[in-house]
Amino acid sequence: MRILAVDDDPIILELLGEFMAQLGKHDLTKADSALAAIDLLDAPDAPEFDCFLFDIQMPGMDGIELTRHIRATAHYVDTPIVMLTAMAEKRYVDSAFAAGATDFVNKPFEVAELRSRIGTIEEMLAKRHSRTSKIFAAKTVTDHANVIELYEPISIYDVDSVIEYIAMENYVAQLSRSALFGSSTFAFTIREIEDFHATLTPFEFYSMISDVAEVISDTLAGRQFLMSYAGNGTFVCVTESGWRPNTENLKDAVNLSLSRTELYNNQSELLEPRVCVGEAVRLIWKSGSTALDALATAHASAEAACIAFEKSKYDFWNVGQTA
């Protein structure tokens, strides 16, 4: 990978240079400030970077502002950004992931930990390259071959507070037990997602997922939250500031908004996606793997709510009937 590291501490930049030299398979470029990094990226002969390592506290422009700047650049909208910083307080973690960070590593860092994080980034890039080429090649296909796997997460762009699922997992894993005290997680699942997946082209399916994400994000506007698409029609949310939603009211609000939103496939046929919402799971006193388990529980709860909804429809239409 070609990596750009931005840090105003020359010792950190030197350490990163030695570390990358040990790995022997990455090309590291260094910048001592966010403004120097922007000048480098804006140069006519600028190289194309595969990953960024940003410090947060820097003079002129900090790493969070730099992350926002990078994410506003179409070419780097989903390039992995790892915050490499001593700023471990929750407000910095929240701001970094909300701005578009993929991962967060605290200084002083262990070489083994950084090696593991870089390895994870490499794997993510390899999978994304395959997935993205399938999605956008699908614009030109005429059959309904499902080249987007139903259960795989999808990157969603230009929707407020929506981050990649791997970033969501990294965000929750980064927070301490005390930092998660006022947080909750819950999930939305699109009803009959298997039917949409089977009948829509890959690009139509991708577009529907993005449109539903935007409706959910707009419905949650005004709340402090992060959301990601986890696959199988499910969006997982983490809320902050002690807000624990009334999920029934929230489901009704999202579905009302969806009913007012005109979504069509390529044949101009109206799509009418609706969602179910699972139970809200409080993250109090959870951290690490137990917090990640809570994400999985919220995901499963929303999918179970969809199954229960479909069963209730069947039971309703068979009331009074005999076998």
Side-chain angles (χ1 to χ4, degrees), residues 293-316:
D293 288 343
L295 289 184
T297 299
H299 186 151
S301 176
E303 293 188 357
C306 277
I307 293 171
F309 177 83
E310 292 304 315
K311 185 176 184 298
S312 70
K313 287 198 307 181
Y314 178 82
D315 289 345
F316 173 80

Side-chain angles (χ1 to χ4, degrees), residues 77-111:
V77 69
D78 60 358
T79 301
I81 298 176
V82 180
M83 311 309 291
L84 195 58
T85 177
M87 313 305 291
E89 293 93 335
K90 185 175 183 296
R91 62 191 178 97
Y92 291 109
V93 178
D94 287 351
S95 297
F97 280 99
T102 309
D103 205 350
F104 199 105
V105 178
N106 293 122
K107 296 177 184 175
F109 54 86
E110 297 288 339
V111 170

Side-chain angles (χ1 to χ4, degrees), residues 32-281:
D32 60 7
S33 71
L35 297 178
I38 291 172
D39 288 342
L40 189 157
L41 294 170
D42 288 344
D45 57 347
E48 181 175 341
F49 292 101
D50 303 302
C51 179
F52 297 105
L53 304 177
F54 292 162
D55 185 23
I56 288 183
Q57 196 171 38
M58 296 185 289
M61 175 188 287
D62 66 26
I64 292 173
E65 292 177 274
L66 179 58
T67 298
R68 292 194 190 96
H69 179 89
I70 293 294
R71 290 298 185 229
T73 305
H75 190 67
Y76 290 120
V77 69
D78 60 358
T79 301
I81 298 176
V82 180
M83 311 309 291
L84 195 58
T85 177
M87 313 305 291
E89 293 93 335
K90 185 175 183 296
R91 62 191 178 97
Y92 291 109
V93 178
D94 287 351
S95 297
F97 280 99
T102 309
D103 205 350
F104 199 105
V105 178
N106 293 122
K107 296 177 184 175
F109 54 86
E110 297 288 339
V111 170
E113 179 185 17
L114 189 56
R115 180 183 290 111
S116 175
R117 303 294 182 95
I118 294 296
T120 299
I121 293 293
E122 288 183 283
E123 293 174 7
M124 184 182 73
L125 288 174
K127 292 178 181 177
R128 180 187 293 164
H129 177 74
S130 173
R131 184 183 307 138
T132 303
S133 62
K134 289 177 181 179
I135 291 172
F136 290 100
K139 287 182 179 181
T140 60
V141 301
T142 57
D143 62 20
H144 286 200
N146 290 306
V147 294
I148 302 175
E149 295 295 335
L150 175 60
Y151 288 91
E152 70 181 13
I154 299 173
S155 299
I156 297 172
Y157 308 111
D158 300 323
V159 179
D160 290 342
S161 299
V162 174
I163 63 177
E164 289 190 277
Y165 191 66
I166 189 172
M168 176 68 81
E169 291 183 321
N170 290 337
Y171 168 70
V172 171
Q174 178 66 30
L175 297 179
S176 67
R177 290 176 183 268
S178 59
L180 286 168
F181 184 85
S183 303
S184 296
T185 181
F186 59 94
F188 301 85
T189 296
I190 300 173
R191 299 172 189 164
E192 302 176 344
I193 189 63
E194 295 88 352
D195 293 339
F196 285 119
H197 183 258
T199 57
L200 297 176
T201 67
F203 191 72
E204 288 170 341
F205 182 78
Y206 173 82
S207 299
M208 184 194 71
I209 294 295
S210 298
D211 290 337
V212 173
E214 187 166 9
V215 168
I216 295 173
S217 177
D218 289 345
T219 304
L220 292 173
R223 301 290 184 177
Q224 187 179 354
F225 74 98
L226 290 174
M227 178 173 74
S228 63
Y229 179 70
N232 201 36
T234 300
F235 302 85
V236 177
C237 302
V238 173
T239 64
E240 304 292 339
S241 303
W243 178 56
R244 193 179 185 188
N246 181 314
T247 54
E248 276 299 308
N249 290 346
L250 193 55
K251 177 194 70 176
D252 291 343
V254 170
N255 284 333
L256 178 61
S257 184
L258 284 170
S259 72
R260 295 171 175 171
T261 304
E262 296 184 349
L263 306 178
Y264 296 91
N265 63 15
N266 288 341
Q267 287 71 48
S268 299
E269 297 167 337
L270 182 65
L271 304 177
E272 297 181 294
R274 299 292 185 269
V275 301
C276 287
V277 185
E279 296 294 324
V281 181

